[in-house]
Amino acid sequence: FDWRRRFDDWIAAATVSLAAARRLGDRRREGAALTSLGNALLEVRRFDEAITACQDAAAICRETGDRHREGNALGNLGLALAEVRRFDEAITAHQDAAAIYRETGDRHREGSALNNLGLALAEARRFDEAITACQDAAAIHRETGDRHREGSALNNLGIALREVRRFDEAITACQDAAAIYRETGDRHREGMALGNLGLALRRVRRFDEAITAHQEDLAICRETGDLHGEGMALNNLGSALAEARRFDEAITAHQDAAAIYQETGDRHREGTALNNLGLALAEARRFDEAITACQDAAAIFGETGDDYSESVALRNLQEARAAQQA
């Protein structure tokens, strides 16, 4: 269900499993079903429900002494917490999961926990720690022969390397990740790796290659029915098009991205798309529209508590107003 993105079926199966475990009074299997349900809810972006399911699962597994499944529940909890930008709690959950797997000798899942930890650390802008975690994860997955999860670790490593301006290494990591996902037939994650590759290529001004990578990501998202991923691909594509001074195409891409984020309820990324839209509109000298887009972006970032992004949007707003008056 995960690889084929049949999440409604996954939720239905996990719900039946949970009900059966509760009827039987089987606490151990109740914890397992809640862990699976939390994972499925995470994939359909029902984050509050996912957090509750994973917290309940971890508590039951702790009660029954099932350390292994407790680690699974904590890993899924960390992913859900990161999606609602509770990064410190997400980092703690992943650290606890990694510690459990290390204690129980499960090298394979220790690698997965370290990979998820690296992604959360990168979101918290703790990039050096993120690089170490992802490198350790990639090494473990290589050691255990798990090509698919090695691809995931390399993809996250590429994100962290890009943020510390190690662009050539980031490009290589993302290219390797995309190749592994292609080899293992995971189209969804191949698209994610291509999106991250495009972001790294932009940083070294290889704009045509970046546009191609983002277009391929967009095509995969549409093929797999990933609406939220489509929004991310459009937003990234718009920024690459703007860098190549193809402003009309960039404006359309950012408008489409903002509409998708509004539809899917992702306020933070809606703000990001609107901020990028404002930049593209200003470059096209459509200043009134640029001012409105930047104002809307700043308001969203203020609402979501992202002070850094709010300050960026306000700076872009000031620059659009100054350019209009020049």
Side-chain angles (χ1 to χ4, degrees):
F1 290 152
D2 181 16
W3 282 33
R4 301 305 172 211
R5 308 198 61 74
R6 292 172 55 180
F7 299 124
D8 289 343
D9 290 334
W10 186 356
I11 290 169
T15 300
V16 170
S17 176
L18 177 61
R22 285 175 172 164
R23 279 199 308 273
L24 293 167
D26 188 332
R27 293 286 278 170
R28 187 182 181 89
R29 286 188 172 83
E30 182 181 354
L34 281 166
T35 300
S36 180
L37 178 60
N39 203 357
L41 289 166
L42 171 66
E43 291 288 356
V44 296
R45 307 188 64 75
R46 290 162 59 179
F47 299 127
D48 290 339
E49 294 170 81
I51 289 168
T52 298
C54 293
Q55 286 172 329
D56 291 348
I60 290 171
C61 293
R62 203 170 296 120
E63 168 198 320
T64 59
D66 189 341
R67 293 288 279 165
H68 189 265
R69 284 201 175 94
E70 182 185 350
N72 291 348
L74 288 168
N76 292 338
L77 174 61
L79 293 172
L81 288 165
E83 288 287 353
V84 294
R85 306 188 64 77
R86 291 163 59 178
F87 297 126
D88 290 342
E89 294 170 83
I91 289 166
T92 298
H94 291 311
Q95 287 171 329
D96 291 347
I100 288 171
Y101 293 135
R102 200 171 298 119
E103 169 197 320
T104 57
D106 188 337
R107 289 286 281 167
H108 184 262
R109 286 187 172 81
E110 181 187 350
S112 295
L114 287 169
N115 185 32
N116 292 333
L117 172 61
L119 191 57
L121 287 164
E123 291 282 7
R125 307 191 68 78
R126 293 163 56 178
F127 298 120
D128 289 338
E129 295 169 83
I131 289 167
T132 299
C134 292
Q135 286 172 330
D136 290 347
I140 289 172
H141 291 314
R142 205 170 293 121
E143 168 198 321
T144 58
D146 188 335
R147 289 285 283 165
H148 186 265
R149 285 189 172 85
E150 182 187 350
S152 179
L154 288 169
N155 185 46
N156 292 341
L157 175 60
I159 294 170
L161 288 166
R162 184 184 75 237
E163 292 292 344
V164 296
R165 305 184 63 80
R166 292 163 60 178
F167 300 127
D168 289 341
E169 294 170 83
I171 288 167
T172 298
C174 292
Q175 286 172 328
D176 290 348
I180 287 172
Y181 287 136
R182 198 172 300 120
E183 168 196 321
T184 56
D186 189 339
R187 291 286 282 165
H188 171 66
R189 290 181 177 85
E190 180 187 349
M192 290 173 59
L194 287 167
N196 288 326
L197 173 61
L199 293 174
L201 288 165
R202 276 176 51 205
R203 299 295 290 272
V204 293
R205 305 188 66 77
R206 290 162 60 178
F207 299 130
D208 288 343
E209 293 171 82
I211 288 168
T212 298
H214 292 312
Q215 287 172 330
E216 290 176 355
D217 178 19
L218 178 61
I220 289 171
C221 290
R222 286 174 172 163
E223 170 196 320
T224 59
D226 182 357
L227 185 60
H228 190 264
E230 183 181 343
M232 293 179 68
L234 282 164
N235 192 39
N236 291 334
L237 175 60
S239 294
L241 288 164
E243 294 276 13
R245 306 195 67 75
R246 292 162 59 176
F247 297 123
D248 289 342
E249 294 170 85
I251 288 165
T252 298
H254 288 312
Q255 287 171 330
D256 291 347
I260 287 173
Y261 289 137
Q262 188 175 50
E263 178 183 340
T264 58
D266 189 334
R267 291 288 280 166
H268 187 267
R269 287 192 175 91
E270 182 186 351
T272 301
L274 288 169
N275 186 50
N276 291 337
L277 174 61
L279 292 172
L281 286 164
E283 289 286 356
R285 305 192 65 76
R286 292 163 57 178
F287 295 120
D288 288 341
E289 295 168 86
I291 288 167
T292 298
C294 292
Q295 285 173 329
D296 291 346
I300 288 172
F301 291 134
E303 169 196 319
T304 58
D306 187 341
D307 296 337
Y308 174 78
S309 296
E310 183 182 5
S311 69
V312 171
L314 289 171
R315 184 174 67 246
N316 293 337
L317 173 60
Q318 291 173 343
E319 290 174 358
R321 285 173 169 162
Q324 184 183 44
Q325 294 167 1

